[in-house]
Amino acid sequence: MTDDWQGWREAAEQALYGPDGFYVRPGGPGPSGHFRTSVHASALYAGAVARLLADVDESLGRPAELALVDVGAGRGELLSAVLAALPVEAAARVRAYGVERAPRPPGLDPRVAWAAEPPSGVTGLLFANEWLDNVPVDVAETDAAGVARYVLVRRDGEERLGDPVTGLDAEWLARWWPLPPDAGPGLRAEIGRPRDAAWAAAVATLDAGLAVAVDYAHERAARPPFGTLTGFRAGREVRPVPDGSCDITSHVALDACALPGAELRSQREALHRLGVTAVRPPLALASTDPVAYVRALSGAGEAAELTARGGLGDFTWLSQPVPLT
């Protein structure tokens, strides 16, 4: 074990994306092996993204080439499912890109280009499902005098307080996550400035279209007083330890990421707009077409999970239009 202390941003960067990091380690199961996302919960999610892509296509006048960029693509599950859900004519015009720092997964649809960074100068839909929560950030905590200090961490997960937060990080906290100086020790915040920059850079790769980030989030008026930093391994929440053994994640201040013209809404509302509702089929269908009834009932259950209050439905969608210039 090393006694070296690092800020959480540097430690998480190494643990997630460094040599043999959690997300880039070859042969691993990918995100689906450790936590359940909307992508893995139901094919209805990919169907909704396909409808969103169709809306973007229509707004752009059906261009000869339509980009679908999946940032934080995991093992390419969403891209493969969206391509399968598209009408043949639209699928023939789609250029799909999986953006992930892990190597290209074996057996991925050959129509999908794979890269570590989003392509620039494209027109279409950029979609980032649970990506920003894995952009590493520093953590601040107030000391006994109420001063916000960087939280330092060792590879074994032990923490201590470091220097006071200053400069651009302090300005970000003051604007987006103010920590009351008279509240005493132990208040925590995740300094989301790297996520703001990452999102702005991703949006800038679009010449025109729509960029969407989906994540578990919070807004300035209701920041969690003790932060949200945590870990996940094999489907369970665990103590965040930056040794490469677990996912390290924290909720996203999506209101800080939002650029002019953006809209924020719950996943429940976003999916309802895209036709995903948990309406049960009429009971009479069970008599006339039992197979269709069971299929529709299963779909209603999956839609309920995707839109549930207190669950996936509480995720936030940040929609950022990029108009033609």
Side-chain angles (χ1 to χ4, degrees):
M1 177 181 20
T2 178
D3 288 329
D4 291 341
W5 296 92
Q6 299 175 300
W8 264 108
R9 181 183 179 187
E10 183 180 1
E13 177 70 26
Q14 287 298 312
L16 297 179
Y17 306 113
D20 201 37
F22 181 79
Y23 275 114
V24 300
R25 187 179 302 125
S32 63
H34 297 280
F35 47 87
R36 183 176 174 83
T37 73
S38 298
V39 174
H40 311 121
S42 172
L44 294 175
Y45 193 75
V49 176
R51 287 190 289 277
L52 181 61
L53 179 61
D55 291 344
V56 173
D57 186 28
E58 183 71 25
S59 71
L60 293 171
R62 301 184 181 277
E65 182 171 292
L66 179 68
L68 172 60
V69 184
D70 183 6
V71 184
R75 296 298 183 265
E77 301 96 331
L78 179 61
L79 284 169
S80 297
V82 172
L83 287 172
L86 289 171
V88 173
E89 185 279 330
R93 291 186 289 110
V94 168
R95 177 70 165 149
Y97 301 87
V99 180
E100 186 60 79
R101 293 169 72 170
R104 181 187 181 92
L108 182 64
D109 190 316
R111 292 175 293 177
V112 176
W114 198 259
E117 300 290 339
S120 60
V122 297
T123 298
L125 173 65
L126 182 145
F127 199 83
N129 185 77
E130 295 194 49
W131 166 56
L132 287 172
D133 65 286
N134 284 129
V135 174
V137 295
D138 276 313
V139 178
E141 182 177 321
T142 53
D143 63 14
V147 175
R149 293 179 176 272
Y150 290 105
V151 177
L152 305 182
V153 64
R154 290 191 314 202
R155 185 175 166 82
D156 63 359
E158 290 300 308
E159 293 181 336
R160 69 174 175 84
L161 296 186
D163 293 334
V165 178
T166 59
L168 294 176
D169 285 345
E171 292 176 15
W172 190 93
L173 283 179
R175 179 179 181 186
W176 293 110
W177 198 327
L179 295 170
D182 57 350
L187 295 184
R188 289 173 69 123
E190 290 101 32
I191 305 171
R193 209 162 54 83
R195 293 170 174 174
D196 299 355
W199 179 242
V203 172
T205 64
L206 284 178
D207 279 353
L210 180 69
V212 177
V214 183
D215 242 305
Y216 38 109
H218 42 63
E219 296 186 357
R220 189 184 188 279
R223 303 286 189 221
F226 305 110
T228 61
L229 184 72
T230 191
F232 283 93
R233 183 192 303 116
R236 303 179 116 185
E237 188 170 8
V238 298
R239 176 171 171 252
V241 177
D243 61 359
S245 68
C246 66
D247 179 31
I248 296 172
T249 180
S250 58
H251 294 202
V252 183
L254 280 177
D255 51 347
C257 296
L259 301 168
E263 292 184 346
L264 292 164
R265 58 175 60 94
S266 70
Q267 175 156 297
R268 181 171 49 258
E269 181 184 355
L271 289 183
H272 284 170
R273 290 187 176 197
L274 292 168
V276 178
T277 60
V279 177
R280 293 171 63 92
L283 190 58
L285 185 62
S287 301
T288 59
D289 191 341
V291 173
Y293 176 78
V294 171
R295 187 182 304 116
L297 192 63
S298 174
E302 293 176 6
E305 180 182 4
L306 290 173
T307 59
R309 297 182 187 276
L312 295 175
D314 289 344
F315 274 55
T316 300
W317 284 43
L318 164 58
S319 298
Q320 188 75 57
V322 180
L324 284 164
T325 56

